[in-house]
Amino acid sequence: LTNIPEGVMKYNSVEVSFDKRFSKGWQLGGSVNFTKSTGNYPVGYASWASFGNFSSANSFVNSYGQQPYSRPLLVKLYGTFSLPYQIMLSFFYLHTDGSPWGRTVEVRPPDGWAAANNASTTSYSVYVNPPGTYRNEASDSLDLRLEKDFNLGPGKLGLIAECFNVNN
């Protein structure tokens, strides 16, 4: 096993977060994360450089770009609010930029040419443009929770209603 000198992965991130603790009937918090993840390691093989990655010159064609898990913008917000009648409303919101992708093409030599030149007919996937040239659609998720406690003699009864991914 050896490291491939041309194999590169870089990750940079800046996160801004805030947190207003619960007082006066409400709390609010969240974060905004700006990231950049680039390199030329194929999907899922960052720790397996010897597993066939970089096995041919085709492995390097347009391969440097956004990494598969790169999301330039992540936004998280959460909060809880005390409503009238001692009802509590909580929410959790998450925005995630879409995953990067680039077009690829499968290249396979014709059987006749391969036989005449004693070559393999193994096909290779080659990037037409670098990963990250295109990006899938971003996603947004909003979860809501309402809760109310009732005093019943020596104990309490709590009712909870939760709605997950309200906007989808």
Side-chain angles (χ1 to χ4, degrees):
L1 299 177
T2 184
N3 288 331
I4 308 298
E6 298 85 1
V8 178
M9 285 185 89
K10 294 180 182 176
Y11 177 80
N12 293 303
S13 176
V14 173
E15 182 175 345
V16 178
S17 63
F18 65 96
D19 194 17
K20 191 264 183 208
R21 292 171 26 162
F22 193 83
S23 67
K24 299 183 181 177
W26 67 285
Q27 73 175 12
L28 186 65
S31 65
V32 178
N33 198 330
F34 304 95
T35 66
K36 186 173 184 181
S37 179
T38 57
N40 59 1
Y41 277 94
V43 178
Y45 295 117
S47 62
W48 295 94
S50 64
F51 194 68
N53 297 334
F54 312 119
S55 59
S56 76
N58 293 322
S59 301
F60 295 99
V61 176
N62 288 325
S63 65
Y64 189 88
Q66 295 289 314
Q67 288 293 289
Y69 304 108
S70 172
R71 304 295 184 274
L73 179 64
L74 296 169
V75 178
K76 295 178 186 178
L77 297 172
Y78 60 88
T80 300
F81 303 94
S82 181
L83 302 177
Y85 306 106
Q86 297 177 335
I87 297 173
M88 301 297 281
L89 170 67
S90 299
F91 76 93
F92 182 83
Y93 170 77
L94 175 65
H95 168 85
T96 306
D97 273 354
S99 58
W101 62 280
R103 292 182 300 150
T104 60
V105 65
E106 281 293 311
V107 179
R108 182 174 184 248
D111 292 334
W113 180 89
N117 292 283
N118 195 26
S120 171
T121 57
T122 304
S123 63
Y124 292 94
S125 179
V126 179
Y127 280 105
V128 176
N129 44 34
T133 302
Y134 305 100
R135 195 166 280 284
N136 290 315
E137 188 175 328
S139 66
D140 294 286
S141 176
L142 175 64
D143 299 338
L144 296 175
R145 175 182 174 126
L146 277 173
E147 58 184 294
K148 169 74 174 148
D149 287 337
F150 297 94
N151 289 324
L152 300 175
K156 285 185 177 183
L157 172 67
L159 295 178
I160 298 172
E162 293 183 315
C163 297
F164 297 103
N165 203 5
V166 173
N167 57 333
N168 197 354

